[in-house]
Amino acid sequence: MDIFKDILDLRLIDYVDVVLVALLLYYVYKLVKGTVAINIFIGIIIIYLVWKLTEFLDMELLTSIFGGFMKVGIIALIVVFQPEIRKFLLMVGSTNFNRRRKFLKQLKFLKTETKDETDVDAIISACNKMAISKTGALIVFEKNNNLDFLSSSGDEMNIKVTQPIIESIFFKNSPLHDGAIIVNNNIVKATRVILPVNNEKNIPLRFGLRHRAAIGVTEKTDALALVVSEETGRISYFKDGEFVVFDDINQLNLMIKEDLS
């Protein structure tokens, strides 16, 4: 009965506090899901529970050892979870207000509905033609995280996405073909962009810097990336720092549209 009494005594702000903590844990879970970090996170929780157990059982030596570990644990957390913390801060500090308005509309604060207008069909068709001619390409789709800090490394543009435009940018003799392009809401906002390259993950030797750059940008932000291999003509799709397997072009098309929605 005391428990129910305590629940009834909770203030409105206490309920808000619980909901916000639940949301925070949910986003932390989304960031670490499918990565090695989830195992590390579970290990830290186990150590914390063991520490509390030894403290409860008055095991002074073990309590002092685990207590010392937990006191410096915040520094260890920052080091171990550096990529996830960076991604989380990018998500929180994103200045893409169009996406924020979309989030509010999903909560029905606004009646009208917006969606990403990127012409995925045109981009996929261009990638398919470039794959046949073995023309290398790297296309990054901007989502919630604003990528202006990457756009500044290349040439800022404001070009509507069409199949001929994508093909002409990556044409081998084009001055814009080197590097990546960033697409947001059916606009090519930058070309010749230099992306962070991942040097840690083991990927097949047949893949080169474009694929490592695609892994790097998608694990540090929530962006999506398409790569057309110059050597094999194979199209690769990346999300959350990982290869995404697809059966054919049609399935890839649907996957990107769903991920951008």
Side-chain angles (χ1 to χ4, degrees):
M1 295 297 295
D2 291 337
I3 296 177
F4 293 108
K5 184 179 178 181
D6 291 338
I7 293 176
L8 292 175
D9 289 339
L10 289 175
R11 301 168 299 165
L12 177 61
I13 194 66
D14 295 324
Y15 290 104
V16 174
D17 190 22
V18 171
V19 171
L20 291 177
V21 170
L23 285 174
L24 178 61
L25 292 175
Y26 169 71
Y27 279 109
V28 169
Y29 171 74
K30 282 185 65 177
L31 287 175
V32 302
K33 182 180 68 174
T35 67
V36 178
I38 188 66
N39 296 326
I40 299 173
F41 186 70
I42 293 172
I44 291 173
I45 292 176
I46 292 173
I47 292 175
Y48 177 79
L49 293 176
V50 172
W51 174 44
K52 287 300 179 181
L53 178 62
T54 57
E55 190 176 44
F56 175 76
L57 296 175
D58 290 329
M59 302 172 70
E60 295 183 3
L61 183 57
L62 282 176
T63 299
S64 61
I65 292 174
F66 285 117
F69 177 82
M70 296 305 297
K71 287 178 183 177
V72 298
I74 187 64
I75 300 175
L77 284 175
I78 293 174
V79 173
V80 172
F81 292 104
Q82 188 270 338
E84 287 74 21
I85 293 173
R86 175 187 174 89
K87 191 172 181 179
F88 177 75
L89 293 176
L90 280 170
M91 179 181 67
V92 172
S94 173
T95 56
N96 191 329
F97 294 104
N98 289 329
R99 288 290 185 170
R100 289 181 180 179
R101 284 197 295 269
K102 178 181 176 182
F103 175 73
L104 292 176
K105 289 167 187 174
Q106 288 176 343
L107 294 178
K108 298 182 180 180
F109 287 120
L110 300 175
K111 292 183 178 180
T112 57
E113 183 177 349
T114 60
K115 60 180 180 179
D116 193 297
E117 299 293 340
T118 299
D119 190 349
V120 178
D121 295 332
I123 293 176
I124 294 297
S125 297
C127 287
N128 200 31
K129 288 191 67 175
M130 290 188 291
I132 294 173
S133 62
K134 293 186 178 180
T135 301
L138 175 51
I139 302 169
V140 176
F141 298 91
E142 180 178 289
K143 292 184 65 182
N144 293 331
N145 297 154
N146 189 287
L147 301 182
D148 286 348
F149 70 101
L150 293 176
S151 300
S152 60
S153 68
D155 299 323
E156 295 188 8
M157 299 285 176
N158 186 21
I159 311 171
K160 183 179 178 180
V161 169
T162 63
Q163 181 177 339
I165 286 293
I166 299 298
E167 291 181 37
S168 64
I169 288 175
F170 289 109
F171 180 62
K172 294 179 181 179
N173 293 328
S174 167
L176 302 177
H177 81 282
D178 196 20
I181 68 170
I182 295 178
V183 175
N184 180 38
N185 204 26
N186 210 43
I187 296 295
V188 178
K189 62 183 293 185
T191 59
R192 297 204 307 164
V193 175
I194 300 173
L195 299 180
V197 177
N198 182 286
N199 294 314
E200 299 178 2
K201 296 201 174 185
N202 294 322
I203 65 174
L205 294 176
R206 65 179 180 275
F207 296 130
L209 287 177
R210 285 190 182 92
H211 298 82
R212 291 189 178 276
I215 293 174
V217 71
T218 56
E219 74 177 357
K220 289 180 172 61
T221 71
D222 67 349
L224 312 172
L226 270 179
V227 176
V228 180
S229 173
E230 192 172 359
E231 288 74 24
T232 64
R234 181 175 299 178
I235 300 174
S236 302
Y237 180 44
F238 297 87
K239 176 184 175 182
D240 296 327
E242 302 289 344
F243 285 91
V244 179
V245 179
F246 56 91
D247 295 328
D248 52 39
I249 291 297
N250 292 329
Q251 185 185 13
L252 174 62
N253 194 330
L254 293 173
M255 290 169 63
I256 295 176
K257 288 180 179 178
E258 182 178 352
D259 290 336
L260 286 175
S261 64

